[in-house]
Amino acid sequence: MVPSTWQATLVDEVIMREFRRYFLRFLEDIAQADTVADRVVLGFVSALRVIRTNRLIGNLLETEPVLFAGAIGGDDGTMLAAVRRFVAGQLQREQRAGTVAADLNTDLVAEMLVRISASFLTTPSQVVDIDDDEALASIARQFLVPMVLPDYGSTR
C-alpha cells in the first residue's frame, strides 16, 4: 500500500519526535563509557535497541515497514540528515576533546554510521540478529570503531 501524503507526514513527525527523545537518552547512555571506542559501541547497540523497542517505532516497523523506511530514507533525506547532524556533533565534541583525529571527516563518518544503523532497522538481516546486543557490539568494534579511530585495530 502506498502511503498518502498526510500519512507520510504524520509518520515523519512521530519518528522525528521519538528520535529527539532518543538523542537525550543516547547522551545519557554514552556518558557511562570511558573511551571513544566504548562510546561508539554503546551508542550503536543502544540506538538499535532503543529504536526497535520504542513502542511507536517498533509497531511501525512491524505493521508499516514501508512507511518507516520511507520516513528514514525518503527522497528528501531530511530524517537521515537530522540524525547525521546529531552524530557528527558528537564526533566533533570528541575532536575538541582530542580523543579523535582533528582531520576526521565527521560528516562523512556520521553519514556512514547512520546509514548502517538505518539499514539494520529497515532491512531484516539473515546474518545479524539485531536483538543480540553482544553480536551488535562485536560488529561495532570490528567495523564502526575503525571508522572513528582508524588505528583501533592495530592497538588491540
Side-chain angles (χ1 to χ4, degrees), residues 22 25-26 29 32 41-55 57-58 61 117 120-121 129-134 136-137:
Y22 173 67
R25 167 80 183 269
F26 175 90
D29 286 349
Q32 304 169 32
V41 171
L42 187 59
F44 178 68
V45 172
S46 168
L48 293 182
R49 182 183 349 98
V50 171
I51 292 168
R52 281 187 52 77
T53 61
N54 176 286
R55 205 169 36 113
I57 294 175
L61 278 166
S117 298
F120 276 115
L121 288 170
D129 177 1
I130 66 169
D131 293 319
D132 180 344
D133 287 358
E134 272 308 308
L136 293 176

Side-chain angles (χ1 to χ4, degrees), residues 16-78:
M16 194 52 156
R17 182 192 71 206
E18 295 304 307
F19 276 156
R20 281 189 204 104
R21 285 183 181 166
Y22 173 67
F23 293 160
L24 296 174
R25 167 80 183 269
F26 175 90
L27 294 173
E28 290 172 11
D29 286 349
I30 66 167
Q32 304 169 32
D34 294 326
T35 68
V36 175
D38 291 344
R39 285 188 283 281
V40 170
V41 171
L42 187 59
F44 178 68
V45 172
S46 168
L48 293 182
R49 182 183 349 98
V50 171
I51 292 168
R52 281 187 52 77
T53 61
N54 176 286
R55 205 169 36 113
L56 293 170
I57 294 175
N59 189 39
L60 192 59
L61 278 166
E62 223 173 271
T63 62
E64 298 290 343
V66 172
L67 276 174
F68 182 81
I72 294 296
D75 293 332
D76 67 357
T78 303

Side-chain angles (χ1 to χ4, degrees), residues 19-20 22-32 35-37 39-40 43-44 47 81-101 104-107 109-111 113-114 148-149:
F19 276 156
R20 281 189 204 104
Y22 173 67
F23 293 160
L24 296 174
R25 167 80 183 269
F26 175 90
L27 294 173
E28 290 172 11
D29 286 349
I30 66 167
Q32 304 169 32
T35 68
V36 175
R39 285 188 283 281
V40 170
F44 178 68
V83 178
R84 179 197 47 78
R85 282 191 300 274
F86 174 78
V87 173
Q90 298 311 303
L91 294 171
Q92 291 159 3
R93 280 185 41 199
E94 296 287 357
Q95 279 180 322
R96 288 190 298 275
T99 55
V100 300
L104 180 74
N105 184 336
T106 57
D107 286 326
V109 171
E111 178 91 6
L113 295 172
V114 169
V148 177
L149 300 169

